[in-house]
Every structure is written in structure tokens, then in C-alpha cells.
Amino acid sequence: SRVGSTAPLCVHSVVEGILPLPKMKLPACLAAVALLLAGPTQGALRLDVNSDKNRPVSKVITLLKDMLKTLEKEQEEDEEIYDKMACWCQTNDKEKTTAIADAQARIEDLTTKIEGLTAAVARLGTEIKNLEKEVASNQAALDKATAIREKQLAEFNAEEKDLLESISALKSAVTVLSKHHSGALLQTMPRSHLLSIAATLQHEMQKHASMLEGVLSLAERRAASAFVQAPADYFDAAPTFKQSYAPQSGEIFGILRQMKETFESNLSASQKEEMANQKAYEDLKAAKEAE
């Protein structure tokens, strides 16, 4: 009668003790139930085995034991999973820590490089501006030199053309006069030839007065002026004492030839100067383009 009266109360108290405690950890709860089941009530519940299996309390106890085994198994599995996760976390934490450290070092290195490159960009920007100024200055100097060179070339071409024409005209006059150098032949020279020679002499002396300055003497200028004023009468005049050793035509012939040689000498000097100017310009252009 004691067993029958106390067992239901004991099971009832155990069940009500377990179920209303949601805040209590489940393994601790089951352990408490197991202790209760293994305690003094075990002796009080010693009944027939077959009859115990059919009692509600026995079913609850069996159910609780099964739950305990299941929970213990799940606990073992959870602990195994936890160990694996903990190992993975530790390993992953080391790898991530190393990766983070490497990334930080890389960031610092790249930051240093960026700062260096930024300074280089600023320096190169300044150099580019300076070079642009130099290029503009060199281009301006080259343009100025080109303009001067073009002017020099135009002046040389005009001077060369003029001197060549003068040399050609004087050469023709010398050639014509040389054919009638003697007094007898002068009498047979056509008047048109004399007028042509006189016109050439007058034109060249006026056109190149600055070039002939210091070349012709005062006496030669007077003789040339007298011949220009009256070319036909010039050779008919009686020769002076100084002219007695050579015909008057020889003096005009000498003046024409001297003028021709002067023009040829000036043309040669101008051509050499032109070559020097051209070379100087080419050297300057090459230097400016190289800069």
C-alpha cells in the first residue's frame, strides 16, 4: 500500500518538476530525473517486472530514460560538431589574421608608392610646364630665325640676279669694245654700239654707286662721265699727254673691265655669305628641334 500510494505522487512530482522548468538546462534536468529514479524510490518501486511495465509511471520513466539517451547522444554529436567548428574557427582565424596582416602591409606599401607617384606626378607636371615654355621659346626663336633667313635669301636672290645682269651687260660691252680697241676700228664702230656701251656704263655706275665707291679714281669717273655725255665725240677728241701712250678707248675698256671684276668679286662674296647664312640657319634649326 505504501508503494502504491507513494509512487504516483513521486512520478507526478517528478513530471511536474521537469516540465515547468523551461529555463533549466535539459541535461541537468535529465540528470536530476535520473537521480530521482536511481534514489530511494527505486527500492520502494520493486514490484513485479511485468506489472511495472504496464504502469504509467514506468512508461514515463522509460520514456525519460530514452530521452536521456537521445539527448546524451545528441550532446556527443553536438560536442563533436563544436570541436570541429572550433578547430575550423581557430584555423580560419589564423589564416584570416595572417591575410589581414599581409593586406595591411600591402596597403601601407601601396600607400607609400602612391605618395611617391603623386610627388613624381607633381614634379613631372612642373617639368612639363617648363619644357612647354622652352619649346615655345625655341619655336619663337626658330620662327624669327626663319623669317630672317627668308629675308636674307630674298635679298640675296635679288642681289644675285642684279649682279648677274650687270656682269652680263658689262661683259657684252667689254666684248664689243675689245673688237674695236684700235683707233682705226673705232671709226667703223656703229653708233648704236657706242650708245649701248655708254648707256650700260651710266646705268651700272648709278645703280651700284655705293659698290663702286673707292674702286674708280676721280680721273676714271671723269672719263666715264665724258664718254657717257658724248660717246661718239669722245674718241674723236685729241688725246692728252697722259693718253698719248694708249688710246682713249683703252681707258673706257679698263673702266668697264674693272667694274665687271668688281661685280664678280662682290657676287662671289655674296654667294659665300649666303652659303654661310644657310648653314648657320640649318645648325640653329637642328639645335632648336633637338631641344
Side-chain angles (χ1 to χ4, degrees), residues 88-221:
W88 179 85
C89 289
Q90 292 177 356
T91 304
N92 190 61
D93 180 67
K94 292 180 181 179
E95 293 176 355
K96 296 300 180 183
T97 302
T98 303
I100 291 172
D102 294 340
Q104 291 291 345
R106 180 64 175 167
I107 290 172
E108 293 177 358
D109 182 57
L110 291 175
T111 301
T112 303
K113 288 183 178 180
I114 290 172
E115 292 175 353
L117 292 175
T118 302
V121 168
R123 176 176 55 80
L124 292 175
T126 303
E127 292 181 359
I128 288 172
K129 290 181 180 178
N130 293 333
L131 289 175
E132 287 177 347
K133 292 180 180 179
E134 291 181 6
V135 169
S137 176
N138 290 335
Q139 186 61 45
L142 182 59
D143 293 341
K144 183 178 180 180
T146 301
I148 294 174
R149 181 71 196 102
E150 291 175 351
K151 182 179 179 181
Q152 289 175 343
L153 182 60
E155 292 175 351
F156 166 76
N157 289 334
E159 182 181 3
E160 183 183 42
K161 180 181 178 182
D162 181 62
L163 287 175
L164 287 173
E165 291 176 353
S166 297
I167 291 170
S168 177
L170 290 173
K171 185 177 181 180
S172 299
V174 169
T175 302
V176 172
L177 190 59
S178 64
K179 292 179 180 180
H180 305 83
H181 191 51
S182 63
L185 293 176
L186 284 173
Q187 300 298 325
T188 62
M189 179 184 293
R191 181 179 177 83
S192 61
H193 288 181
L194 289 175
L195 294 176
S196 176
I197 294 173
T200 299
L201 180 59
Q202 183 183 19
H203 176 73
E204 298 302 332
M205 288 185 68
Q206 291 177 351
K207 187 176 183 180
H208 300 286
S210 59
M211 189 181 300
L212 295 173
E213 187 176 355
V215 175
L216 298 177
S217 64
L218 181 60
E220 289 173 334
R221 290 181 180 275

Side-chain angles (χ1 to χ4, degrees), residues 149 152-153 156 268-284:
R149 181 71 196 102
Q152 289 175 343
L153 182 60
F156 166 76
S268 177
S270 296
Q271 290 174 339
K272 291 179 180 179
E273 183 180 0
E274 165 61 19
M275 293 177 62
N277 290 337
Q278 180 64 26
K279 186 178 184 305
Y281 170 74
E282 291 176 353
D283 293 343
L284 176 64

Side-chain angles (χ1 to χ4, degrees), residues 27 30 67-85:
L30 294 176
M67 290 175 61
L68 179 60
K69 291 179 180 180
T70 302
L71 291 174
E72 288 177 348
K73 183 178 180 181
E74 291 179 355
Q75 182 181 3
E76 292 176 357
E77 293 176 353
D78 290 342
E79 290 177 353
E80 183 179 356
I81 294 174
Y82 172 79
D83 292 339
K84 291 180 179 180
M85 289 297 294

